[in-house]
């Protein structure tokens, strides 16, 4: 049995666990990296610039470029390097989390960057939410050169859910990126970590399992620069809703999650999750100029639920403005 498999030996019912808070909490940033030489230096620097970060763990996932050399060239006692033998991003994150020493975990992608003060902001929120197993904020988008291209700052005053969020989260992933959150290390390990069998939306499934274990807390701040560049743009352009639906099946076949949902709610929430992912696919199509494809996805939404169509239409239109 591999370490990644071992991480998924998780409970099927929510354990009665109290996640103790340290007086001075420690934070581990976990960065899975594969052929990330173009951005890994900037990403690591953004994490090390957070004075509250105790360690930064880079898990190399079989890079064939200069990623390893660049990480090794950085001289900071907080930086640790591990290798994962190309087992995939979920296994890389699980490996880093297994060895992390921090009370809290941040899952930062190798091409993104934390904004100044991001970790301090999340820790402050965590102190006011003693029952939270996950504290999260928001992000903006940047291009390959690091220039801001998103306009999410226009959504001032927007609030996402806090407290017991599982029912809302099962409708669709409103968190999106692991770099905008602190996750209780104890809760993450109790949840079983990321499911290595899922190619897409494995993070959503993991967040749902965490939401079955405890409360979330939202901070209305932009904490991360999420990079859109040629590689991830091309990958996103090739995805369809069918790529995401295996994760929907996994979420709604998970005993831990189902055991915490209201009785009889699973079918309704599953339909909402599918519509959410079709909407996301349409938004991506708009961002990459594939407007005919976006209209086709909007038609699919209309066939599934006329009630959901107006809201989906607004979200798809907003994506044209980078929101």
């Amino acid at each position: 049995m591999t370490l990644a498999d071992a991480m998924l030996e998780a409970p099927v019912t929510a354990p009665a666990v109290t996640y103790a808070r340290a007086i001075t909490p420690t934070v581990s940033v976990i960065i899975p990296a594969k052929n990330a030489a173009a951005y890994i230096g900037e990403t690591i620097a953004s994490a090390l610039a957070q004075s509250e970060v105790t360690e930064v763990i880079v898990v190399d996932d079989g890079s064939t470029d200069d990623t390893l050399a660049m990480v090794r060239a950085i001289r900071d006692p907080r930086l640790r390097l591990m290798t994962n033998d190309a087992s995939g991003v979920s296994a890389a994150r699980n490996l880093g989390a297994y060895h992390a020493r921090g009370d809290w975990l941040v899952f930062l992608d190798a091409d993104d960057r934390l904004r100044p003060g991001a970790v301090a902001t999340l820790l402050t929120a965590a102190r006011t939410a003693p029952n939270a197993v996950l504290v999260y904020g928001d992000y903006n988008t940047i291009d390959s050169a690091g220039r801001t291209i998103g306009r999410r700052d226009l959504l001032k005053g927007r609030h996402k859910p806090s407290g017991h969020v599982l029912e809302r989260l099962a409708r669709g992933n409103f968190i999106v990126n692991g770099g905008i959150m602190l996750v209780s290390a104890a809760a993450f390990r109790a949840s079983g970590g990321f499911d290595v069998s899922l190619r897409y939306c494995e993070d959503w499934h993991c967040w749902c399992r965490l939401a079955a274990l405890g409360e979330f807390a939202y901070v209305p701040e932009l904490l991360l620069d999420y990079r859109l560049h040629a590689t991830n743009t091309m990958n996103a352009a090739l995805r369809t809703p069918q790529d995401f639906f295996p994760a929907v099946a996994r979420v709604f076949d998970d005993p831990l999650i189902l055991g915490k949902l209201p009785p009889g709610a699973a079918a309704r929430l599953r339909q909402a999750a599918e519509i959410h992912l079709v909407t996301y696919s349409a938004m991506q199509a708009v961002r990459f100029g594939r407007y005919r494809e976006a209209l086709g996805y909007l038609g699919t939404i209309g066939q599934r639920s006329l009630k959901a169509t107006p809201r989906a239409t607004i979200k798809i239109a907003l994506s044209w403005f980078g929101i």
Side-chain angles (χ1 to χ4, degrees), residues 2 4 34 59-62 83-92 95 196-197:
T2 66
K34 183 170 185 176
V59 183
D60 184 79
D61 191 36
T83 56
N84 190 48
D85 299 327
S87 297
V89 65
S90 291
L95 179 65
V196 298
S197 72

Side-chain angles (χ1 to χ4, degrees), residues 199-253:
R199 186 177 180 187
Y200 300 114
C201 298
E202 74 290 334
D203 54 346
W204 173 48
H205 172 248
C206 183
W207 312 153
C208 284
R209 286 182 66 86
L210 284 163
L213 296 180
E215 297 181 9
F216 286 17
Y218 174 63
V219 184
E221 300 287 345
L222 300 179
L223 305 176
L224 179 80
D225 291 325
Y226 169 50
R227 195 183 303 269
L228 296 179
H229 53 86
T231 301
N232 62 21
T233 294
M234 180 178 67
N235 289 340
L238 296 173
R239 296 174 195 166
T240 69
Q242 286 68 35
D243 293 318
F244 304 131
F245 286 166
V248 177
R250 182 72 182 90
V251 166
F252 290 97
D253 190 37

Side-chain angles (χ1 to χ4, degrees), residues 4-294:
D5 293 330
M7 287 293 293
L8 292 173
E9 291 183 349
V12 297
T13 58
V17 179
T18 299
Y19 303 108
R21 298 295 170 83
I23 296 175
T24 304
T26 53
V27 177
S28 298
V29 177
I30 298 164
I31 305 174
K34 183 170 185 176
N35 296 333
Y39 306 109
I40 190 66
E42 188 176 2
T43 299
I44 293 172
S46 77
L48 292 174
Q50 315 280 325
S51 60
E52 299 79 10
V53 168
T54 310
E55 63 179 356
V56 176
I57 302 175
V58 177
V59 183
D60 184 79
D61 191 36
S63 293
T64 56
D65 65 358
D66 293 331
T67 297
L68 279 168
M70 294 187 69
V71 176
R72 288 174 176 145
I74 298 173
R75 301 302 177 192
D76 191 298
R78 293 176 293 166
L79 181 61
R80 302 169 63 191
L81 175 62
M82 299 177 182
T83 56
N84 190 48
D85 299 327
S87 297
V89 65
S90 291
R93 289 171 176 151
N94 287 345
L95 179 65
Y98 182 85
H99 289 283
R101 305 180 184 118
D103 304 304
W104 293 100
L105 307 176
V106 177
F107 294 103
L108 181 63
D109 288 344
D111 52 358
D112 296 339
R113 63 191 186 199
L114 291 170
R115 289 189 164 198
V119 172
T121 298
L122 289 168
L123 283 173
T124 297
R127 293 186 189 101
T128 63
N131 295 322
V133 298
L134 188 152
V135 182
Y136 71 107
D138 213 330
Y139 67 90
N140 209 351
T141 51
I142 57 175
D143 64 12
S144 57
R147 297 180 293 254
T148 298
I149 55 177
R151 304 176 69 181
R152 296 174 75 89
D153 55 325
L154 297 178
L155 300 176
K156 295 184 183 299
R158 181 177 66 163
H159 282 268
K160 293 184 179 181
S162 291
H164 293 288
V165 305
L166 177 59
E167 185 173 358
R168 172 64 181 83
L169 187 59
R171 294 172 56 89
N173 186 9
F174 52 77
I175 296 177
V176 181
N177 192 302
I180 63 172
M181 66 174 66
L182 290 178
V183 181
S184 161
F188 178 80
R189 291 170 185 135
S191 77
F194 295 97
D195 187 336
V196 298
S197 72
L198 292 175
R199 186 177 180 187
Y200 300 114
C201 298
E202 74 290 334
D203 54 346
W204 173 48
H205 172 248
C206 183
W207 312 153
C208 284
R209 286 182 66 86
L210 284 163
L213 296 180
E215 297 181 9
F216 286 17
Y218 174 63
V219 184
E221 300 287 345
L222 300 179
L223 305 176
L224 179 80
D225 291 325
Y226 169 50
R227 195 183 303 269
L228 296 179
H229 53 86
T231 301
N232 62 21
T233 294
M234 180 178 67
N235 289 340
L238 296 173
R239 296 174 195 166
T240 69
Q242 286 68 35
D243 293 318
F244 304 131
F245 286 166
V248 177
R250 182 72 182 90
V251 166
F252 290 97
D253 190 37
D254 189 313
L256 176 62
I257 295 170
L258 292 176
K260 287 293 184 175
L261 290 175
R268 168 178 55 84
L269 295 174
R270 180 170 184 156
Q271 182 190 46
E274 291 174 348
I275 290 172
H276 173 88
L277 287 168
V278 176
T279 302
Y280 171 78
S281 298
M283 292 167 66
Q284 293 296 85
V286 167
R287 287 171 179 145
F288 306 139
R290 304 193 320 274
Y291 303 117
R292 181 175 295 181
E293 188 174 324

Side-chain angles (χ1 to χ4, degrees), residues 293-306:
E293 188 174 324
L295 286 174
Y297 289 145
L298 185 59
T300 298
I301 294 168
Q303 293 172 3
R304 288 173 177 249
S305 172
L306 288 175

